[in-house]
Amino acid sequence: MARHLITSAIPYINGIKHLGNLVGSQLPADLYARFQRARGNEVLFLCATDEHGTPAELAAAKAGKPVAEYCAEMHGVQAQIAEGFRLSFDHFGRSSSEQNKKLTQHFAGRLADAGLIREVSEKQVYSNADGRFLPDRYIEGTCPNCGYDKARGDQCENCTKQLDPTDLIDPRSAISGSTDLEVRETKHLYLCQSQMKDQLEEWIDTREGWPILTTSIAKKWLTDGDGLQDRGITRDLAWGVPVKKGTEDWPGMEGKVFYVWFDAPIEYIAAAQEWVDAGKGADWERWWRTDKGAEDVRYTQFMGKDNVPFHTLSFPATILGSGEPWKLVDYIKSFNYLNYDGGQFSTSQGRGVFMDQALEILPADYWRWWLLSHAPESSDSEFTWENFQASVNKDLADVLGNFVSRVTKFCRSKFSEAVPEGGAYGPSEEALIETLTTRIRAYEGHMEAMEVRKSAGELRAIWVAGNEYLQEAAPWSTFKTDPETAAMQIRLALNLIRLYAVLSAPFIPDASAQLMQAMQTEDDSWPDDVPAALQVLEPGHAFTVPEVTFRKIADDEREGWQERFSGVRS
């Protein structure tokens, strides 16, 4: 049994996420976790809410709530929506947890002892109107690199360039909108990433098979301009992990907190501690410490491309710099952006379909299928309502749903609600089994390689193979002259429904469970032996005709949704 540690980029606490966020990390991570569990492997799938830093403070202020209360409330909301999309986290933690606080302070102490943290007296923007320093996202302005006029003080979300607040053109306070800003001096701690450039580059070069997107972004940050820069790890904020050197106070850093990018990735480890402390698991160290059993763990991270620099460079610098035997990531699956109907999804601007709204419209499986089958892997992809409607109607309703309906209803009307006996396989059935075996092995290969769109395409082809067989065999015609052969054809088709349920579960778990229930079986064993898998439901095995597996989306529905979501979310 292989052991898989899987994490998806932790979403910010500042509101409900949109579909682009979902497909960029959590959903493909869930697909992979479900697949590995289905293969009988041991999986620990972790995620959390990212609760510190400017976005949390700003969102809480806008909501008129204390930041701790706001974060607790939004964590509950995000956990409930994740459950709605059937994201199978073993634990959904919080970066504001006591476990993460202590672990972050521990890493800072280790890095300081290793000479990898230096104190810097720097100039920082101060807002006279707000009466406070304005770090990173408290400042908006025009990006000096691409001209985007809503760039933040830490990074431009349009071109992904790393920025400092003082880089912005025409800067303004994100709190009040005031341009009455001045530059004042303050002290902060910096992680000496530049000292680790060679070690990081050597480590990245040992990672096998990483996506081009992941390695190209990492290498760009390592080599562009003056190369990898030291990065501030503290901020003048009230909400966050208090700056400490391990368990000791840090002279000169009173009242400051660690910068959110520093403590957020550490939450991956802390989430495993939370998982154990919540009574859900035991021995978190066997997943995270190579001296405690994590040497045989395969660790995979999923994220959008804007998160790649922190996960390929900064977080590894923290782990390597600590000098302790922590588990480093083996594979990073990164994604491009999903755009929305000719523009961009944007949480900050409220543009696009958000996760709670999506679940109000249709069940999770409809969204899961479309998003995963159109995952933005090699390039950005775009959500359009026309494409969504066509994909649901054709793939889910016509190909899968129609197959299930035709087979079960025909069997009920001509035989009974039990698997019929009689007949023997002929050339058509042998050919189908050969086709399915080839395609299932290809499906497994794509899933292992985390090729999401190719996996979806192969799964759809497996559904199509059953439909083509049914059309060719035509049991409704065969029944008139040779009911025994028709019985064999339907028996094979009923077993195909169970097979489809097993193979499709990582993509569409609710529909899979519905089909398993209709087939009245709990045998969800993976089809390593395809001929055997197609004989699991034996003659006489009872089944029920399921409700409609997937309904079609009507044109007027689609038009209504297009109109409803053409503006911005209030």
Side-chain angles (χ1 to χ4, degrees):
M1 184 196 300
R3 298 174 61 215
H4 288 271
L5 174 61
I6 301 168
T7 60
S8 60
I10 65 178
Y12 271 129
I13 198 73
N14 62 333
I16 292 163
K17 304 296 111 177
H18 56 66
L19 295 181
N21 297 131
L22 178 63
V23 76
S25 59
Q26 293 178 323
L27 190 54
D30 179 70
L31 177 78
Y32 189 60
R34 286 178 177 274
F35 171 72
Q36 292 299 343
R37 291 191 196 107
R39 300 308 310 273
N41 293 323
E42 188 181 1
V43 171
L44 181 60
F45 179 24
L46 300 171
C47 192
T49 39
D50 185 358
E51 301 189 9
H52 293 141
T54 314
E57 287 197 5
L58 290 178
K62 187 178 179 182
K65 295 180 180 179
V67 66
E69 180 186 325
Y70 172 82
C71 287
E73 182 181 309
M74 284 309 303
H75 176 268
V77 169
Q78 290 201 19
Q80 186 176 13
I81 292 173
E83 190 177 324
F85 275 98
R86 305 297 183 257
L87 303 177
S88 60
F89 303 129
D90 289 292
H91 185 71
F92 186 60
R94 303 182 60 186
S95 69
S96 62
S97 69
E98 193 64 25
Q99 293 90 335
N100 195 42
K101 173 182 166 183
K102 289 179 178 174
L103 199 55
T104 299
Q105 292 168 340
H106 167 80
F107 271 111
R110 293 288 305 188
L111 291 164
D113 291 344
L116 290 169
I117 290 180
R118 61 187 175 92
E119 192 173 298
V120 175
S121 184
E122 62 178 23
K123 291 180 167 57
Q124 198 171 318
V125 177
Y126 186 89
S127 168
N128 291 304
D130 300 305
R132 62 179 296 170
F133 283 104
L134 297 180
D136 56 85
R137 298 185 181 204
Y138 274 82
I139 308 171
E140 290 182 342
T142 300
C143 175
N145 185 53
C146 72
Y148 181 61
D149 65 356
K150 292 185 178 66
R152 302 186 306 252
D154 61 343
Q155 190 176 19
C156 175
E157 68 174 16
N158 186 55
C159 69
T160 75
K161 184 174 178 62
Q162 180 185 0
L163 299 169
D164 284 314
T166 51
D167 295 334
L168 293 171
I169 300 166
D170 298 326
R172 59 189 177 275
S173 166
I175 304 170
S176 61
S178 172
T179 57
D180 182 14
L181 310 177
E182 63 180 68
V183 176
R184 293 187 181 181
E185 201 157 284
T186 183
K187 284 185 178 180
H188 282 293
L189 300 177
Y190 272 62
L191 176 61
C192 301
Q193 297 184 149
S194 59
Q195 290 184 33
M196 301 189 66
K197 178 184 178 295
D198 293 343
Q199 189 179 358
L200 287 166
E201 190 161 20
E202 184 180 329
W203 171 72
I204 289 168
D205 287 341
T206 65
R207 303 299 92 182
E208 293 181 3
W210 276 16
I212 293 170
L213 180 66
T214 302
T215 50
S216 63
I217 292 173
K219 294 279 189 176
K220 183 179 177 184
W221 276 51
L222 276 169
T223 58
D224 270 17
D226 296 326
L228 187 62
Q229 300 296 298
D230 295 348
R231 187 81 166 133
I233 62 167
T234 57
R235 282 292 182 263
D236 291 300
L237 296 173
W239 175 247
V241 175
V243 175
K244 282 197 169 187
K245 189 183 294 183
T247 57
E248 300 172 11
D249 290 335
W250 205 312
M253 292 294 122
E254 296 82 7
K256 297 180 190 286
V257 299
F258 285 109
Y259 190 6
V260 62
W261 76 256
F262 183 70
D263 81 77
I266 295 170
E267 168 59 19
Y268 293 138
I269 306 173
Q273 298 181 13
E274 295 169 45
W275 168 69
V276 170
D277 293 344
K280 298 177 186 175
D283 193 7
W284 65 268
E285 288 183 312
R286 68 186 283 266
W287 291 96
W288 277 108
R289 296 275 302 206
T290 56
D291 60 338
K292 302 285 182 68
E295 196 62 60
D296 65 344
V297 168
R298 168 88 172 163
Y299 178 22
T300 307
Q301 296 174 343
F302 290 79
M303 69 198 64
K305 62 184 176 184
D306 53 333
N307 277 313
V308 168
F310 297 110
H311 290 77
T312 54
L313 302 170
S314 301
F315 185 37
T318 298
I319 290 182
L320 289 167
S322 75
E324 296 177 321
W326 297 101
K327 174 66 184 175
L328 283 154
V329 67
D330 293 297
Y331 191 86
I332 295 179
K333 175 68 175 180
S334 55
F335 291 85
N336 288 284
Y337 294 140
L338 175 69
N339 296 318
Y340 175 75
D341 230 359
Q344 285 187 328
F345 279 95
S346 172
T347 301
S348 58
Q349 296 172 50
R351 188 172 196 283
V353 184
F354 289 72
M355 288 170 68
D356 58 339
Q357 297 168 327
L359 291 175
E360 288 169 15
I361 294 172
L362 287 167
D365 281 351
Y366 292 73
W367 300 105
R368 286 177 65 104
W369 174 254
W370 188 91
L371 290 166
L372 290 167
S373 60
H374 294 78
E377 290 175 292
S378 57
S379 62
D380 291 353
S381 59
E382 183 167 6
F383 177 90
T384 69
W385 287 102
E386 289 84 0
N387 188 293
F388 178 66
Q389 178 191 25
S391 184
V392 166
N393 290 358
K394 191 172 182 183
D395 298 348
L396 298 180
D398 284 346
V399 179
L400 179 61
N402 191 42
F403 179 85
V404 172
S405 179
R406 291 170 77 189
V407 170
T408 54
K409 287 179 178 176
F410 177 78
C411 188
R412 179 174 63 183
S413 68
K414 299 302 182 186
F415 298 101
S416 68
E417 287 189 54
V419 177
E421 60 180 322
Y425 286 170
S428 293
E429 289 71 37
E430 298 296 346
L432 173 64
I433 290 170
E434 189 177 332
T435 296
L436 288 172
T437 301
T438 300
R439 289 210 172 276
I440 290 169
R441 299 293 89 88
Y443 175 61
E444 292 165 357
H446 293 318
M447 290 286 268
E448 286 287 359
M450 287 162 273
E451 296 172 322
V452 178
R453 290 176 78 144
K454 287 182 179 178
S455 299
E458 204 61 60
L459 179 59
R460 186 186 184 280
I462 290 167
W463 299 341
V464 167
N467 277 274
E468 290 176 344
Y469 166 76
L470 201 64
Q471 282 299 106
E472 182 189 334
W476 43 88
S477 298
T478 309
F479 182 79
K480 296 171 186 174
T481 57
D482 188 355
E484 281 230 340
T485 297
M488 174 274 296
Q489 293 165 344
I490 287 299
R491 185 168 66 253
L492 178 61
L494 288 167
N495 272 284
L496 268 177
I497 293 173
R498 189 204 70 89
L499 179 70
Y500 288 168
V502 172
L503 293 173
S504 306
F507 280 90
I508 45 175
D510 284 350
S512 169
Q514 179 198 5
L515 296 180
M516 291 290 284
Q517 186 176 14
M519 293 300 101
Q520 296 187 19
T521 180
E522 294 180 3
D523 186 343
D524 61 356
S525 56
W526 194 261
D528 295 314
D529 180 338
V530 176
L534 291 171
Q535 293 177 27
V536 168
L537 306 183
E538 297 178 340
H541 179 93
F543 69 89
T544 55
V545 176
E547 297 293 317
V548 174
T549 311
F550 289 101
R551 70 171 185 83
K552 288 194 173 187
I553 296 171
D555 289 345
D556 59 346
E557 277 184 302
R558 186 251 306 154
E559 289 164 5
W561 295 333
Q562 270 179 308
E563 187 175 344
R564 176 181 168 187
F565 297 106
S566 60
V568 296
R569 182 186 175 108
S570 60

